[in-house]
C-alpha cells in the first residue's frame, strides 16, 4: 500500500505514486528551462488547462513555452476521478439565477462542447486513456433521488439533451450493487477516462504541434519589462507577448489579484487490488462511473484492470491525513460492504480548486495575462475547453472567452488569509447535513 504526501520540488521525478502513475504511458521527463527565452505565449502550469492552451495555440502557429513547476499532469489533472461530464458544475436552473436563462443555455452548450472536444482530441491524437461511456448520478437521500430524476427529465424535455434518463431506485440497484441509493439518473454521453494518460497524450500532441514544455521550472514572479510580461524563474526569464496562468489549486502567491477567488481543498482516492472481471462487473454492471449527491461527494468507477477506484473522504486540514487509505476505505465500505476483504493498493490525494459559487474563474489582467482556474471538481472537460477559449481570445476571437469571463466569481470572505477558517466552518456544516 502506498500513501502519498506532496513531494518537494527538488526531487527529479516528483510524480507522487498512484494507480495512475503506475499505469502511465508517456511519462518521459521534459527538460527544465535553460537560460532566457522569448516566445509569443508563456503558459504557466502543465495540467489540462495549460496543455490544452499550448496545443490550441501551437496549432495556430504561435510560439509557446510552457513552464511547469513539477511534471506534466502533476496537479489535479494527473490525480482526479476521471469523470468526463458535460454541462457545467451547477444545474442550468441554478445557473440561470446567476447569469440569466440565455447565458445559462450558452454556458451549458459550452460545457457540452467541452466534453465533445475531449473525445475528439482523444480520437484525433490516438490517446490511449481507457475512455469508457456513462456516468450514473446516485441520490443519497430520497429527496436527492427525486430531484435527480426530475432534473434528468428537465434536461431531456426542456434542454433537448436526449442522452440522460431517470433511474428509479430499483433500476439503479440493478446496475450498482449498493443498497444506499434512492434512484437517480444515467447520462450515457458522459464518460470516464485515465486522467494522467489523457494529459500526457495531450502534451505529446502539443509538443508535436511545436510547443516547448519545461518541467521542474517553477515560475517565481511575473514582472513587466518594456511593456511586456516577463516570467521569472530560477533557470532564466521568459519574455512573452501574453502569459496564461493555468495553475489552478497550486497558484499560491504568484498572482495575488486572483488568489482569493479560489480555495484549494484536498480530496482523496484509493485503488483496490484487481477484483477480477466477474466481481468487478457485479459491482457496476454497465461499467459506468458513479457520483452521488452528498455535499462531500463519493465518486467511483472501475479501472481498465478491474480495480475499484473510489474517491471520497473529507479533510479540512491543509495537510493530507496520515492514513488516506483508511479514510477513503471507510467511505467505500459504506457503499460496498462486500469489499471488506479487499486490499487497497494505492491511496493518494490532490487539490481541488473551488470557487465560492462553484463556477470557474476566467479573466484577463493588464490586457495580456489570461487566467482560467477554479473548476470546482468538474474540470476534465471544461479545462480542455478553457485552453481552446484562451487560445481563441489571444488570436483575437474572444466571444467564448468573454462569455466564460462574464460569470461573476465572488472572492472568499477574508481573502487569502481568512478564507480558510470560514470555509472550514461552512464545509463542516454541510458535511454534517450528509450524515443526517
Ligand atoms: C482528487 C480529485 C478528483 C477530481 N475528480 C474529477 C472528476 O472526476 N471529474 C472532473 O471533471 N474533475 C475532477 N477533478 C477536478 C480536475 O482534476 C481539475 O479541475 C483539473 O484537473 C484542473 O486542471 P488544471 O490544468 O486547471 O490544474 P492542475 O491540473 O492542478 O494543474 C496546475 C499545474 O500548475 C502547476 N503550477 C502551479 N504553480 C506553478 C508555478 N508557479 N510555476 C509553474 N507551474 C506551476 C502545478 O504544478 C500543476 O501541475 C478532481 C480533482 C481532484 C484533485
Amino acid at each position: 500500500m502506498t500513501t502519498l504526501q506532496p513531494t518537494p520540488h527538488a526531487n527529479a521525478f516528483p510524480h507522487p505514486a498512484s494507480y495512475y502513475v503506475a499505469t502511465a504511458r508517456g511519462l518521459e521527463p521534459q527538460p527544465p528551462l535553460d537560460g532566457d527565452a522569448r516566445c509569443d505565449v508563456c503558459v504557466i502550469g502543465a495540467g489540462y488547462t495549460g496543455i490544452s492552451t499550448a496545443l490550441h495555440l501551437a496549432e495556430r502557429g504561435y510560439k509557446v513555452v510552457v513552464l511547469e513547476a513539477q511534471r506534466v499532469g502533476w496537479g489535479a489533472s494527473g490525480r482526479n476521478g476521471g469523470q468526463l461530464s458535460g454541462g457545467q458544475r451547477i444545474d442550468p436552473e441554478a445557473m440561470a439565477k446567476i447569469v440569466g436563462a440565455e447565458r445559462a443555455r450558452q454556458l451549458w452548450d459550452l460545457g457540452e462542447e467541452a466534453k465533445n472536444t475531449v473525445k475528439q482530441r482523444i480520437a484525433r491524437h490516438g490517446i490511449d486513456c481507457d475512455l469508457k461511456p456513462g456516468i450514473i448520478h446516485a441520490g443519497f437521500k430520497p429527496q436527492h433521488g427525486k430531484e435527480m430524476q426530475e432534473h434528468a427529465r428537465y434536461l431531456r424535455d426542456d434542454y433537448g439533451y436526449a442522452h440522460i434518463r431517470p433511474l428509479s431506485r430499483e433500476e439503479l440497484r440493478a446496475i450498482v450493487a449498493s443498497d444506499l441509493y434512492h434512484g437517480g439518473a444515467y447520462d450515457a454521453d458522459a464518460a470516464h477516462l485515465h486522467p494522467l494518460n489523457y494529459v500526457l497524450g495531450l502534451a505529446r500532441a502539443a509538443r508535436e504541434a511545436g510547443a516547448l514544455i519545461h518541467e521542474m521550472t517553477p515560475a517565481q514572479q511575473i514582472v513587466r519589462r518594456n511593456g511586456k510580461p516577463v516570467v521569472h524563474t530560477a533557470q532564466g526569464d521568459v519574455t512573452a507577448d501574453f502569459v496564461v496562468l493555468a495553475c489552478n489549486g497550486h497558484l499560491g502567491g504568484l498572482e495575488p489579484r486572483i488568489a482569493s477567488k479560489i480555495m484549494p481543498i484536498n480530496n482523496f482516492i484509493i485503488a483496490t487490488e484487481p477484483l477480477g472481471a466477474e466481481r468487478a462487473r457485479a459491482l457496476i454492471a454497465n461499467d459506468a462511473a458513479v457520483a452521488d449527491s452528498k455535499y462531500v461527494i463519493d465518486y467511483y468507477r472501475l479501472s481498465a484492470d478491474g480495480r475499484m477506484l473510489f474517491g471520497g473522504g473529507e479533510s479540512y486540514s491543509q495537510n493530507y491525513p496520515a492514513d488516506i487509505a483508511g479514510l477513503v476505505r471507510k467511505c467505500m465500505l459504506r457503499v460496498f460492504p462486500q469489499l471488506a476483504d479487499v486490499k487497497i493498493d494505492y491511496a493518494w490525494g490532490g487539490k481541488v480548486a473551488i470557487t465560492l459559487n462553484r463556477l470557474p474563474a476566467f479573466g484577463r489582467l493588464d490586457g495580456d495575462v489570461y487566467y482560467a482556474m477554479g473548476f470546482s471538481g468538474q474540470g476534465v472537460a471544461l479545462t480542455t475547453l478553457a485552453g481552446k477559449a484562451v487560445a481563441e481570445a489571444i488570436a483575437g476571437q474572444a466571444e467564448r472567452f468573454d462569455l466564460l469571463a462574464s460569470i461573476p466569481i465572488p472572492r472568499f470572505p477574508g481573502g487569502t488569509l481568512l478564507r480558510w477558517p470560514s470555509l472550514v466552518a461552512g464545509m463542516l456544516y454541510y458535511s454534517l447535513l450528509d450524515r443526517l
Side-chain angles (χ1 to χ4, degrees):
M1 216 287 305
T2 318
T3 293
L4 310 177
Q5 292 294 331
T7 28
H9 280 205
N11 183 343
F13 298 98
H15 259 298
S18 70
Y19 164 74
Y20 297 138
V21 173
T23 51
R25 300 180 191 99
L27 257 187
E28 300 84 30
Q30 299 304 310
L33 182 69
D34 184 16
D36 294 346
R38 176 74 175 90
C39 61
D40 299 322
V41 185
C42 177
V43 176
I44 305 177
Y48 304 137
T49 304
I51 293 295
S52 170
T53 304
L55 171 60
H56 284 96
L57 281 167
E59 285 177 342
R60 287 171 175 264
Y62 285 81
K63 189 172 173 206
V64 185
V65 169
V66 181
L67 303 178
E68 165 54 50
Q70 307 267 351
R71 304 288 311 273
V72 170
W74 179 88
S77 300
R79 309 178 187 213
N80 64 65
Q83 300 207 3
L84 177 64
S85 316
Q88 297 284 341
R89 171 72 169 74
I90 64 173
D91 296 341
E93 301 95 312
M95 182 72 99
K97 289 191 184 126
I98 300 174
V99 297
E102 193 184 330
R103 274 197 292 161
R105 175 75 220 205
Q106 290 168 339
L107 288 163
W108 162 270
D109 290 342
L110 272 189
E112 284 303 293
E113 182 187 338
K115 177 180 66 185
N116 294 328
T117 304
V118 172
K119 291 182 186 174
Q120 284 156 9
R121 285 292 179 185
I122 289 169
R124 181 159 148 201
H125 304 295
I127 300 175
D128 190 358
C129 61
D130 309 334
L131 182 68
K132 293 194 261 185
I135 294 183
I136 292 167
H137 302 280
F140 181 67
K141 294 182 177 178
Q143 181 61 20
H144 299 170
K146 207 166 141 242
E147 284 165 6
M148 285 172 156
Q149 292 162 358
E150 277 163 13
H151 178 61
R153 285 186 204 103
Y154 174 82
L155 284 181
R156 195 187 55 196
D157 301 339
D158 290 38
Y159 257 54
Y161 184 66
H163 306 289
I164 196 159
R165 68 181 170 94
L167 292 176
S168 67
R169 186 187 174 115
E170 295 68 35
E171 286 169 325
L172 206 158
R173 180 65 183 79
I175 306 171
V176 181
S178 174
D179 293 326
L180 215 55
Y181 302 122
H182 298 268
Y186 176 60
D187 184 345
D189 198 49
H192 56 107
L193 49 71
H194 188 305
L196 179 58
N197 283 339
Y198 170 55
V199 70
L200 290 172
L202 216 56
R204 171 177 45 81
R207 289 198 306 274
E208 285 168 4
L212 293 174
I213 301 175
H214 296 295
E215 296 184 319
M216 310 302 293
T217 309
Q220 295 173 331
Q221 205 188 357
I222 305 169
V223 295
R224 300 200 79 83
R225 218 174 279 150
N226 303 321
K228 298 271 180 218
V230 178
V231 182
H232 180 66
T233 80
Q235 293 97 326
D237 286 352
V238 181
T239 305
D241 296 326
F242 298 93
V243 168
V244 179
L245 291 167
C247 307
N248 207 40
H250 302 275
L251 179 72
L254 186 62
E255 181 41 86
R257 285 175 288 177
I258 54 175
S260 64
K261 288 191 174 187
I262 53 163
M263 167 82 71
I265 53 171
N266 295 325
N267 196 268
F268 307 104
I269 302 183
I270 53 175
T272 66
E273 63 183 323
L275 301 171
E278 202 178 317
R279 192 170 183 193
R281 276 300 177 115
L283 295 172
I284 308 176
N286 65 357
D287 207 6
V290 182
D292 79 3
S293 60
K294 285 195 301 181
Y295 187 78
V296 181
I297 171 181
D298 286 339
Y299 53 98
Y300 49 90
R301 63 197 184 93
L302 298 168
S303 65
D305 61 355
R307 300 167 190 267
M308 174 59 69
L309 302 180
F310 197 101
E314 59 205 68
S315 154
Y316 303 116
S317 149
Q318 301 210 37
N319 299 318
Y320 289 176
D323 182 13
I324 295 176
L327 178 84
V328 186
R329 182 172 177 272
K330 231 189 277 169
C331 304
M332 181 180 78
L333 293 186
R334 269 199 294 269
V335 180
F336 296 119
Q338 61 271 46
L339 293 183
D341 63 323
V342 163
K343 215 166 103 265
I344 309 299
D345 277 351
Y346 301 93
W348 66 97
K351 287 204 185 309
V352 181
I354 61 167
T355 61
L356 206 52
N357 58 9
R358 305 296 187 270
L359 292 169
F362 284 71
R364 272 185 210 87
L365 301 166
D366 308 322
D368 50 16
V369 176
Y370 287 74
Y371 64 87
M373 59 181 193
F375 297 92
S376 301
Q378 186 171 316
V380 174
L382 273 178
T383 48
T384 306
L385 182 92
K388 195 174 171 184
V390 171
E392 284 171 2
I394 287 174
Q397 298 153 355
E399 292 86 356
R400 276 139 37 109
F401 182 85
D402 287 345
L403 173 63
L404 289 159
S406 74
I407 303 173
I409 307 295
R411 292 179 188 279
F412 278 94
T416 47
L417 280 182
L418 292 178
R419 64 187 164 162
W420 189 260
S422 45
L423 180 92
V424 169
M427 296 280 281
L428 284 172
Y429 169 73
Y430 284 110
S431 66
L432 251 176
L433 294 185
D434 283 342
R435 296 193 191 101
L436 292 179

